[in-house]
Amino acid sequence: MFEKVLVANRGEIAVRVMRACEELGIDTVAVYSDADKHAGHVRYADEAYNVGPARAADSYLDHEAIIDAAEQSGADAIHPGYGFLAENATFAGKVEDTEGVTWVGPAAESMAQLGEKTSARKTMREADVPIVPGTTDPAESVEEVHEFGEEYGYPIAIKAEGGGGGRGMKIVESAEEAEEQLESAKREGEAYFDNANVYLERYLENPRHVEVQIVADHHGNVRHLGERDCSLQRRHQKVIEEGPSPALTDDLREEIGEAARRGADVAGYYNAGTFEFLVEEDLDREAGELLGPETDFYFLEVNTRIQVEHTVTEELTGIDIVKWQLKIAAGEELTFAQDDVDLRGHAMEFRINAENAAEDFAPATGGSLDTYDPPGGIGVRVDDALRQDDDLVTDYDSMVAKLVVSAGDREECIVRSQRALAEYDIEGIPTIVPFHRLMLTDDAFVAGTHTTKYLDEQLDPERIDEAQEQWGGDTTSADGDEDVVERDFTVEVNGKRFEVNLEERGAAKLATSGGSAGGQRPERASGDDDSETVVEGDGETVESEMQGTILSVDVAEGDEVEPGDVLVVLEAMKMENDVVASHGGTVTQVAVEEGDSVDMGDVLVVID
């Protein structure tokens, strides 16, 4: 077994992996950006290394910085968690090539084969796993989209080859939208996955999203751990996950599970992974009716990593998936047979995101956890990293925690979830707890007849407003008027020199001898320019409403714009966001360029 594991991630998943390591007697190493120097995963780890500035591309996505931290710390393995570099085959290959460091995950070659969707579709076809009608080679031109639409009809899904979780996916409703959506999907693919290739699929109108957890070792043993139903989604982003699916018969459940296991076996896949499927829903199905083996299902994609919702399967099976990731990477053989896998009861996971569901799920732009009191009791699990009085870091995703509830059956699970969510006391930031409480009283969700389109197309938004008003709580942070002074010191412990950064509140500034701040190696210098943008043009300013990166600038000085025209495209919270003109006029200044990082309140464009 490994002696020391570096966790190349942050937040709750980093802490989740570290807890598994601690139970296996493994020391842990955290990496952190400038924005995360006080983060929970840094507190939890045995040691921590700064890997760059807040921008993920310069820190958590920096291959060399992560591997350098592993080598400096003496870590003999790297666990990527999910997100960031978890599905980056190039990075996995670099780790595999690093002497003395093991990649905790599938082989880089397998990640490339299954992580890129066109290659995965070819592999599944070889394994006799049904796939959605679509292309198995990258689509290069808008003409190919038009031809596909003529053959299969609209809408069409354009998907980034390296994508997942709805990122890099665009829906084309008509031929007129093809060019714009093709370019947008390519941009997102390049921005998030360093891969601008996209492919085409027939867009299923009313599917359920069902996924199967796989674990496989280096000795040829492949096991599936049952399915999870992730059909409650907003804009292709999962919100509530549960298992087993409330819509499948046992026969269909087994058929989908075996298809996943067959696909993993043919691909020579090992470690943990998830095979995702779309299941055709019967819109005439009544509550209590189930989908049988005659139901069509199609392979969607493979997530070559641990997933956010792996907790659901752990609660159902009692199998610690993260521990098995580590054991398999260390060469151990699975000790349980497929027949030993027994799903007990029902489990649900609720993503506790720092978002206001009543404002189109807008992410919080700041704040601190003035009150943070998570629920407890039988069948209640909370995976988190933040603690009371922590500041909310808004540079990355909006997830604060995951609430996982399990019970003897789905009905009891819903009641227990209602109790646990009512107990969850968070003040100082908005969360989607009120939305979750609403869904547990929603007829379609309780009946299990919802599809992936339900939230976007059928749920009355006024009900979300009412839930937010009823259960929203205090989302305003207490004012922090006292000054915070940072002081840098160099200290020596047992012959080793460390750069230490201390914060003192309400104190005057002291002159110090300098030195770098933060972790156990000198911090990487940030190239960001903190100077404010000078507004030179006349007119009203259009400011950024969130932190992010400029993907494209669609106007130039002198352009005439109308209300609703796209000015710039901003990447934030893992999605593209169009910044549009609220009124017509002439562009007198463009203050940003493609690739710029911006903060909330930064001036983007001036319109007179």
Side-chain angles (χ1 to χ4, degrees):
M1 183 48 68
F2 307 114
E3 293 184 3
K4 184 183 291 188
V5 171
L6 181 144
V7 183
N9 219 294
R10 64 180 299 277
E12 60 83 21
I13 186 56
V15 173
R16 165 71 186 94
V17 175
M18 291 172 187
R19 283 172 169 158
C21 289
E22 185 172 359
E23 292 182 16
L24 291 171
I26 303 171
D27 291 337
T28 56
V29 180
V31 292
Y32 65 96
S33 70
D34 290 348
D36 268 341
K37 62 183 178 181
H38 301 303
H41 74 285
V42 176
R43 293 192 296 255
Y44 195 93
D46 295 306
E47 53 189 294
Y49 289 75
N50 181 280
V51 288
R55 186 168 178 261
D58 300 322
S59 51
Y60 293 112
L61 295 175
D62 187 329
H63 298 193
E64 284 66 35
I66 301 295
I67 293 174
D68 183 40
E71 292 180 321
Q72 290 205 35
S73 66
D76 50 357
I78 292 178
H79 192 301
Y82 56 72
F84 292 133
L85 295 171
E87 291 183 278
N88 190 305
T90 300
F91 177 68
K94 289 180 180 179
V95 175
E96 291 173 345
D97 293 339
T98 302
E99 185 176 354
V101 182
T102 298
W103 171 250
V104 181
E109 182 180 359
S110 183
M111 291 176 67
Q113 179 185 5
L114 293 178
E116 291 188 348
K117 306 306 182 286
T118 53
S119 175
R121 285 167 59 84
K122 292 177 182 178
T123 302
M124 293 305 106
R125 191 167 56 187
E126 293 171 8
D128 195 28
V129 175
I131 61 175
V132 179
T135 61
T136 52
D137 292 307
E140 302 289 345
S141 67
V142 68
E143 287 75 22
E144 292 179 67
V145 182
H146 290 160
E147 292 172 3
F148 189 88
E150 290 174 3
E151 181 175 357
Y152 293 102
Y154 291 91
I156 301 169
I158 304 179
K159 296 185 176 183
E161 190 173 61
R167 287 167 286 171
M169 175 176 169
K170 300 298 174 181
I171 307 303
V172 182
E173 299 287 352
S174 65
E176 291 73 24
E177 297 180 5
E179 184 172 7
E180 177 185 352
Q181 299 290 39
L182 177 64
E183 293 305 314
S184 181
K186 286 183 174 181
R187 279 199 308 269
E188 281 196 12
E190 180 68 34
Y192 297 125
F193 314 108
D194 293 325
N195 183 350
N197 287 342
V198 299
Y199 66 101
L200 311 177
E201 277 187 354
R202 181 169 71 85
Y203 187 59
L204 301 181
E205 293 285 4
N206 292 287
R208 299 192 69 86
H209 183 124
V210 176
E211 60 190 30
V212 178
Q213 178 70 57
I214 289 289
V215 290
D217 61 26
H218 295 267
H219 307 278
N221 301 301
V222 182
R223 309 284 184 261
H224 77 78
L225 308 184
E227 91 282 359
R228 299 182 290 257
D229 194 310
C230 307
S231 299
L232 198 73
Q233 302 180 6
R234 177 185 171 271
R235 297 181 182 175
H236 310 292
Q237 298 290 312
K238 302 168 187 174
V239 184
I240 299 175
E241 302 96 343
E242 62 179 309
S245 171
L248 308 185
T249 60
D250 288 341
D251 288 342
L252 181 57
R253 174 174 293 115
E254 184 62 23
E255 192 174 336
I256 295 174
E258 284 303 313
R261 189 161 69 146
R262 192 165 61 246
D265 192 38
V266 168
Y269 189 92
Y270 59 76
N271 213 272
T274 303
F275 283 64
E276 301 195 345
F277 298 87
L278 294 179
V279 179
E280 288 274 26
E281 178 62 276
D282 178 3
L283 296 183
D284 296 325
R285 184 170 64 90
E286 300 290 339
E289 293 183 26
L290 299 177
L291 300 172
E294 72 285 353
T295 303
D296 289 332
F297 67 92
Y298 302 100
F299 169 78
L300 175 63
E301 63 185 19
V302 181
N303 292 127
T304 57
R305 53 170 169 82
I306 198 72
Q307 281 194 285
V308 177
E309 60 271 20
H310 74 278
T311 56
V312 170
T313 299
E314 290 181 331
E315 296 306 304
L316 291 174
T317 63
I319 294 172
D320 189 319
I321 300 171
V322 175
K323 279 186 181 178
W324 272 113
Q325 283 190 290
L326 294 161
K327 291 177 180 180
I328 290 168
E332 294 187 23
E333 187 172 358
L334 290 170
T335 57
F336 57 91
Q338 185 63 56
D339 289 343
D340 296 330
V341 178
D342 182 24
L343 274 64
R344 299 181 298 277
H346 201 88
M348 291 183 176
E349 177 183 275
F350 303 87
R351 300 190 185 202
I352 310 301
N353 296 339
E355 300 171 359
N356 188 332
E359 296 181 0
D360 199 28
F361 289 80
T365 56
S368 63
L369 278 71
D370 299 332
T371 299
Y372 184 73
D373 188 10
I378 187 169
V380 175
R381 165 181 173 178
V382 177
D383 281 19
D384 57 16
L386 292 172
R387 293 294 178 265
Q388 186 156 310
D389 296 327
D390 279 357
D391 290 331
L392 181 69
V393 175
T394 58
D395 298 84
Y396 312 106
D397 64 64
S398 60
M399 186 180 294
V400 173
K402 301 184 310 195
L403 171 64
V404 191
V405 180
S406 56
D409 56 34
R410 191 171 188 261
E411 182 178 356
E412 184 183 22
C413 188
I414 288 175
V415 173
R416 182 169 290 165
S417 297
Q418 290 173 327
R419 186 266 297 172
L421 286 163
E423 287 182 10
Y424 216 139
D425 189 5
I426 304 176
E427 294 183 359
I429 61 171
T431 72
I432 59 171
V433 167
F435 167 81
H436 289 316
R437 297 180 69 176
L438 168 65
M439 293 315 302
L440 293 177
T441 64
D442 180 79
D443 291 342
F445 180 78
V446 171
T449 57
H450 58 288
T451 70
T452 58
K453 307 290 187 64
Y454 179 67
L455 293 184
D456 292 331
E457 298 181 1
Q458 293 178 264
L459 183 66
D460 183 355
E462 290 188 3
R463 296 180 60 204
I464 299 179
D465 296 341
E466 294 168 359
Q468 188 68 32
E469 183 175 351
Q470 182 177 0
W471 298 309
D474 185 1
T475 61
T476 304
S477 294
D479 291 332
D481 295 329
E482 58 185 345
D483 292 332
V484 179
V485 177
E486 294 195 11
R487 297 171 178 170
D488 299 328
F489 300 92
T490 302
V491 298
E492 188 170 304
V493 180
N494 296 331
K496 290 186 178 181
R497 292 174 66 83
F498 299 88
E499 305 298 332
V500 179
N501 171 268
L502 299 178
E503 286 189 357
E504 186 171 353
R505 298 182 180 272
K509 293 186 176 181
L510 275 182
T512 66
S513 58
S516 57
Q520 293 189 336
R521 71 173 176 128
E523 300 220 11
R524 298 163 58 85
S526 170
D528 293 345
D529 182 359
D530 293 330
S531 60
E532 294 185 5
T533 301
V534 177
V535 178
E536 299 173 342
D538 295 327
E540 296 186 25
T541 60
V542 178
E543 300 175 351
S544 176
E545 295 184 355
M546 61 191 76
Q547 188 273 344
T549 302
I550 302 298
L551 289 184
S552 70
V553 178
D554 295 2
V555 293
E557 292 182 14
D559 285 355
E560 296 291 330
V561 296
E562 299 292 335
D565 286 353
V566 177
L567 306 175
V568 302
V569 179
L570 174 70
E571 175 269 311
M573 309 308 294
K574 303 180 181 178
M575 297 294 287
E576 287 190 10
N577 300 271
D578 291 339
V579 179
V580 301
S582 60
H583 62 280
T586 303
V587 176
T588 59
Q589 182 181 357
V590 178
V592 292
E593 298 178 353
E594 183 178 326
D596 284 354
S597 294
V598 296
D599 291 319
M600 183 179 65
D602 284 358
V603 176
L604 305 177
V605 176
V606 182
I607 300 175
D608 188 9

